[in-house]
Amino acid sequence: PPPPPPAAPKAKKVNEEKGTRTLKMTEKFVCRAGDIYDVLTNQQRIMAFTKAPAEFEPAVGGKFSMFSGSVVGENVEMVPGEKLVQKWKFSNWGADKFSTVTITFKEPEPGNTIISLVQSGIPDEDEFGNHNVLDQTEHGWKNLIFGRIRQVFGYGV
């Protein structure tokens, strides 16, 4: 019999820590890049779309929390209308398990903004052993953040 075909190489994410995952998303908004950046970095606007208590120190090194403390983190890099980098985690991930969120803002034509989100270092499981962390994180961004921003501010496509 012929030899079995060689095994396909396993896909591996670049620079991914063992036990972590990476989430990549692209979202479109009908607004200026500066508008969507402001929504994500302004405490009052964060509370408006999350409909929950939030804190946001709009500076590099500034701490933030959303959804009554369910999401916490720190700003690493802030370039208004262009880039936002944060240490970010759900509070149930464990004390020192932060992911890195990098959001880049592109406005190919005035009033149409495309944001690209890459979140690396998402743990495979939370501190209670639940394995749905990646799905929960993606659902949160898609529905509880980006979806609500479109509803509240009318930035829908």
Side-chain angles (χ1 to χ4, degrees):
K10 290 208 174 2
K12 189 166 191 273
K13 297 256 190 325
V14 181
N15 294 331
E16 199 162 52
E17 284 180 53
K18 187 169 169 48
T20 68
R21 305 275 179 95
T22 297
L23 172 66
K24 294 182 180 181
M25 298 175 69
T26 301
E27 296 280 329
K28 293 179 181 163
F29 294 89
V30 180
C31 64
R32 303 303 302 253
D35 296 334
I36 191 74
Y37 177 91
D38 186 53
V39 166
L40 292 169
T41 59
N42 176 299
Q43 180 171 319
Q44 298 306 316
R45 288 175 172 241
I46 292 168
M47 287 194 286
F49 76 78
T50 61
K51 299 175 175 54
E55 291 178 18
F56 195 93
E57 295 174 35
V60 171
K63 307 275 192 236
F64 67 86
S65 73
M66 297 189 298
F67 302 103
S68 304
S70 293
V71 171
V72 295
E74 180 180 315
N75 297 310
V76 175
E77 185 180 348
M78 300 181 77
V79 183
E82 292 180 28
K83 188 174 187 182
L84 179 62
V85 181
Q86 298 174 320
K87 284 174 47 181
W88 191 104
K89 69 179 210 126
F90 278 107
S91 56
N92 66 359
W93 285 3
D96 56 352
K97 289 192 178 168
F98 281 90
S99 65
T100 299
V101 170
T102 301
I103 301 174
T104 53
F105 303 79
K106 300 276 187 238
E107 193 173 346
E109 51 193 58
N112 285 300
T113 298
I114 298 168
I115 67 170
S116 298
L117 177 145
V118 177
Q119 184 169 359
S120 59
I122 299 170
D124 281 339
E125 62 182 44
D126 66 19
E127 64 184 346
F128 304 107
N130 297 310
H131 290 279
N132 64 340
V133 176
L134 183 66
D135 291 340
Q136 179 190 29
T137 304
E138 183 175 20
H139 167 81
W141 281 112
K142 214 177 257 308
N143 300 303
L144 304 181
I145 296 180
F146 298 140
R148 286 189 181 172
I149 287 172
R150 287 188 184 95
Q151 290 172 342
V152 172
F153 299 104
Y155 295 160
V157 175

